Amino acid sequence: MVDLVVRSRRVLTPEGERAAAVVVQGGKIVAISPYDAEIENVTDDVDLGDDALLPGLVDTHVHVNEPGRTEWEGFASATRAAAAGGVTTIIDMPLNSLPPTVHAEALKIKQAAATGQIHVDVGFWGGAIPGNAADLPELHANGVFGFKAFLADSGVPEFPPVDADELAQAMHVVDALFVVHAEDPEHLQEAESSAAYSDFLASRPADAEHAAVATAIAVARAAGRRVHILHLSAASALPLIAAARADGVRVTAETCPHYLTLDAEAIPDGATEFKCCPPIRDGANADQLWEALADGLITCVVSDHSPCTPELKRQESGDFAAAWGGIASVQLGLPVIWTAAQARGYTLADVVKWMSRRPADLAGLRQKGRIAVGADADLVAFQPDEEFTVDAHALHHKNPVTPYAGRVLKGVVGTTWLRGSRVTGDEAGGRFLLRGEGAE
């Protein structure tokens, strides 16, 4: 028996877009046949016609916050939102939950909190903070995909930043991927109470990212380790990354939908839903990020989904200095990027590369992010020409705050399949992913 066949005239495979029938058995893709192939003994045969069939997106930068700050976001709500947005794999960041994932016991606590609640597959990053270098090997052996470090204040006291020496110490004790929030505290200014976005932006200049990227590269070069620059906002740091890669340093970088599609000059005063760190910069900067993405210098686009309660966004006062910095977008990343990418002449194949295959490759998840024989049958039915208006209250993440509210976006997610099973939001069928289990 064949569990599932999904047919489409627009199947996005690693080799390109083509008409095909994707054959699924036991949660895996077992064949990619001609679109009109006769396949016997099929339990569920779905024909999407001209709607596209994408591999499930892989979002390696999600803050779930459970346990400890579950009122901000929890595993049930975050993974429902992910599935509704075509995301079938997330990797959870180690901070904002209590305790943060900085030792093996904390990882067990987080996994226990997530058990029975996840609607997509979930992996975990560990955290590198001052004084926990000795805990990193055990945490790595327990399956985290690498270690996040901040070079500036994280916003929560239980996850303090490291300096260059502490980052180097962490890199020396464990051969792992280090993912770095790159802002240099020496270049940041204390933001004063203000409803003007321009005042907040001035407090976190591009120089802060430039300097921190240089530090992360220098430490990785000396240690011989892999380093990944998280949520790159400042295009001025791109030449540093290009030069380091040309010199053999194993450095990669990501960016996020908000840095590619939002413009600092259009953010209204008091609109704290736009606050994030590093900040959204101007349209000319975004143009350079798009060019780097097209050239492969920036390898992937991920959400940095970092929600909080509306009260913490200080929406009543509109005070950017006091508001929590984070954007909730795990459900909207695909249509946000597709809307902008199509307008710039990019294709669905480009979007799949940036949001599915390359994030999977970053984490070593070779069975994810691609429609290929042997891969997990994580699939998304997508209507690329349909439009919708974002209603924050209709989104699945816990708190109805998003800078995309009221925007008209192109691209509607229909059915999402996780390992060949439809994700409905009712039954939590996600699994935990561990480094080394089907990963590299």
Side-chain angles (χ1 to χ4, degrees), residues 259-330:
Y259 300 130
L260 292 166
T261 65
L262 301 178
D263 186 340
E265 296 174 352
I267 295 176
D269 287 352
T272 54
E273 64 270 24
F274 289 85
K275 180 181 176 179
C276 56
C277 300
I280 295 161
R281 305 191 189 277
D282 61 32
N285 181 84
D287 290 341
Q288 294 179 65
L289 296 178
W290 277 103
E291 291 172 8
L293 191 59
D295 292 343
L297 184 55
I298 294 175
T299 57
C300 53
V301 180
V302 293
S303 69
D304 190 11
H305 178 73
S306 185
C308 66
T309 61
E311 294 77 17
L312 289 174
K313 272 297 186 183
R314 301 293 193 269
Q315 291 184 302
E316 290 187 3
S317 68
D319 184 351
F320 277 98
W324 174 259
I327 286 178
S329 64
V330 70

Side-chain angles (χ1 to χ4, degrees), residues 64-372:
V64 176
N65 307 334
E66 185 176 5
R69 294 188 175 98
T70 311
E71 70 275 14
W72 296 16
E73 186 68 288
F75 281 102
S77 52
T79 56
R80 279 195 189 96
V87 178
T88 52
T89 299
I90 67 170
I91 303 185
D92 173 64
M93 283 294 170
L95 72 157
N96 299 344
S97 57
L98 295 169
T101 315
V102 294
H103 48 72
E105 183 60 29
L107 176 62
K108 293 177 183 177
I109 291 170
K110 180 166 280 194
Q111 289 171 327
T115 296
Q117 295 202 77
I118 55 175
H119 296 269
V120 301
D121 287 353
V122 176
F124 301 92
W125 296 107
I129 62 173
N132 83 325
D135 295 309
L136 302 187
E138 182 183 8
L139 192 50
H140 200 231
N142 276 266
V144 299
F145 284 85
F147 297 97
K148 180 174 188 176
F150 275 76
L151 297 181
D153 182 16
S154 72
V156 290
E158 68 276 0
F159 202 98
V162 295
D163 60 24
D165 289 340
E166 290 162 334
L167 180 60
Q169 182 185 16
M171 286 187 175
H172 280 295
V173 301
V174 61
D175 187 1
L177 172 61
F178 283 80
V179 299
V180 177
H181 180 122
E183 289 184 287
D184 188 319
E186 296 299 320
H187 290 76
L188 301 178
Q189 303 166 21
E190 188 71 29
E192 296 184 2
S193 179
S194 173
Y197 181 76
S198 57
D199 289 340
F200 167 67
L201 178 60
S203 73
R204 304 187 88 95
D207 286 351
E209 284 190 79
H210 190 281
V213 167
T215 296
I217 288 172
V219 173
R221 184 195 303 271
R225 296 291 191 241
R226 288 176 66 198
V227 67
H228 180 72
I229 306 301
L230 297 169
H231 47 46
L232 185 70
S233 159
S236 62
L238 289 166
L240 286 175
I241 296 168
R245 286 175 63 172
D247 201 30
V249 179
R250 294 181 294 166
V251 56
T252 51
E254 69 187 33
T255 194
C256 304
H258 39 281
Y259 300 130
L260 292 166
T261 65
L262 301 178
D263 186 340
E265 296 174 352
I267 295 176
D269 287 352
T272 54
E273 64 270 24
F274 289 85
K275 180 181 176 179
C276 56
C277 300
I280 295 161
R281 305 191 189 277
D282 61 32
N285 181 84
D287 290 341
Q288 294 179 65
L289 296 178
W290 277 103
E291 291 172 8
L293 191 59
D295 292 343
L297 184 55
I298 294 175
T299 57
C300 53
V301 180
V302 293
S303 69
D304 190 11
H305 178 73
S306 185
C308 66
T309 61
E311 294 77 17
L312 289 174
K313 272 297 186 183
R314 301 293 193 269
Q315 291 184 302
E316 290 187 3
S317 68
D319 184 351
F320 277 98
W324 174 259
I327 286 178
S329 64
V330 70
Q331 187 172 338
L332 295 173
L334 176 56
V336 166
I337 288 297
W338 171 236
T339 302
Q342 186 185 50
R344 289 174 177 264
Y346 297 109
T347 67
L348 266 180
D350 293 320
V351 173
V352 165
K353 176 175 60 179
W354 300 331
M355 303 188 78
S356 296
R357 189 169 74 250
R358 284 185 179 168
D361 290 348
L362 172 72
L365 290 168
R366 305 300 182 187
Q367 82 277 24
K368 299 290 189 182
R370 66 209 76 213
I371 296 177

Side-chain angles (χ1 to χ4, degrees), residues 6-12 17-20 35 46-54 338 342 348 380-386 411-412:
V6 185
R7 305 172 191 269
S8 168
R9 295 185 181 90
R10 302 188 63 186
V11 178
L12 276 297
E17 181 180 315
R18 62 187 174 100
Y35 170 74
V46 179
D47 192 341
L48 300 179
D50 292 327
D51 290 348
L53 183 66
L54 315 183
W338 171 236
Q342 186 185 50
L348 266 180
V380 177
F382 186 63
Q383 298 173 313
D385 299 322
E386 293 296 315
V412 172

